[in-house]
Amino acid sequence: KTGLLWDTDLETALDEGNKIHYILGNIEYHTDIDNAILKSIHKGIIENNEVDRVKSKVQAVISHPELKKYFYNTNTVFNERDVLLLNGNILRPDRVVINEGKASIIDYKTGDRHQKYHHQINAYADSYLKMGYEIENKIIVYINNTIFTEFI
């Protein structure tokens, strides 16, 4: 919550992004929204007066026409799961969805689009390829005033 103490627009935006990211990290399926919100309140991540705004943004991601299938309970989901590479480095994709042996990699971002995000999500996908998964989609989800998806 240090961003709130500095009282800058950038820090407020970063704080908001971290809250949304934390909640999405606790959601495997579309039915998990309320539990993830409650967990966030209990841990002091969000306050009661933020619930409606934050929940609305989270629901916008989960119900987005291009994303909602990745929140069905027929998927196997790995949120924030470490991947140990042969060279000892660790990667941690935001969300990996496995369906019928194919992996879709999803990474959440706030702010502007950057080419470095493409490199990051490609590294995630490469690690799953090396584990024997076919990559179905690589998706960067930009969460700002609107939800924008970028398929790489």
Side-chain angles (χ1 to χ4, degrees):
K1 294 198 172 199
T2 55
L4 297 175
L5 300 175
W6 297 331
D7 197 30
T8 66
D9 290 339
L10 175 60
E11 292 304 321
T12 301
L14 289 172
D15 186 54
E16 177 81 3
N18 288 337
K19 290 174 183 181
I20 300 296
H21 192 274
Y22 176 84
I23 293 167
L24 286 169
N26 284 287
I27 296 174
E28 288 186 18
Y29 309 114
H30 63 92
T31 55
D32 297 334
I33 296 172
D34 289 334
N35 286 336
I37 295 286
L38 283 174
K39 181 178 181 180
S40 299
I41 293 169
H42 291 145
K43 289 196 170 266
I45 306 294
I46 62 171
E47 298 185 21
N48 287 325
N49 63 345
E50 300 176 286
V51 169
D52 290 340
R53 183 186 80 255
V54 171
K55 185 175 181 178
S56 175
K57 199 166 271 194
V58 169
Q59 285 177 318
V61 171
I62 292 172
S63 64
H64 189 281
E66 294 177 325
L67 300 173
K68 63 184 177 182
K69 74 177 186 175
Y70 300 107
F71 292 91
Y72 293 160
N73 62 1
T74 55
N75 299 314
T76 300
V77 177
F78 302 119
N79 283 333
E80 302 286 341
R81 185 81 50 97
D82 287 347
V83 177
L84 178 62
L85 303 179
L86 291 174
N87 65 8
N89 289 338
I90 296 175
L91 299 178
R92 184 180 292 165
D94 290 338
R95 183 177 185 88
V96 178
V97 178
I98 310 292
N99 191 312
E100 298 180 8
K102 296 179 184 175
S104 292
I105 316 291
I106 301 173
D107 208 41
Y108 306 117
K109 301 293 182 191
T110 54
D112 297 330
R113 294 168 64 183
H114 290 285
Q115 188 66 30
K116 66 183 178 184
Y117 300 148
H118 292 205
H119 298 296
Q120 183 182 32
I121 202 162
N122 283 326
Y124 297 157
D126 287 344
S127 69
Y128 273 82
L129 275 171
K130 288 176 182 170
M131 288 188 273
Y133 289 98
E134 179 182 338
I135 304 302
E136 183 175 15
N137 285 301
K138 298 175 284 184
I139 309 165
I140 301 172
V141 180
Y142 292 93
I143 304 169
N144 295 303
N145 290 331
T146 60
I147 308 303
F148 173 75
T149 59
E150 183 176 26
F151 285 72
I152 308 302

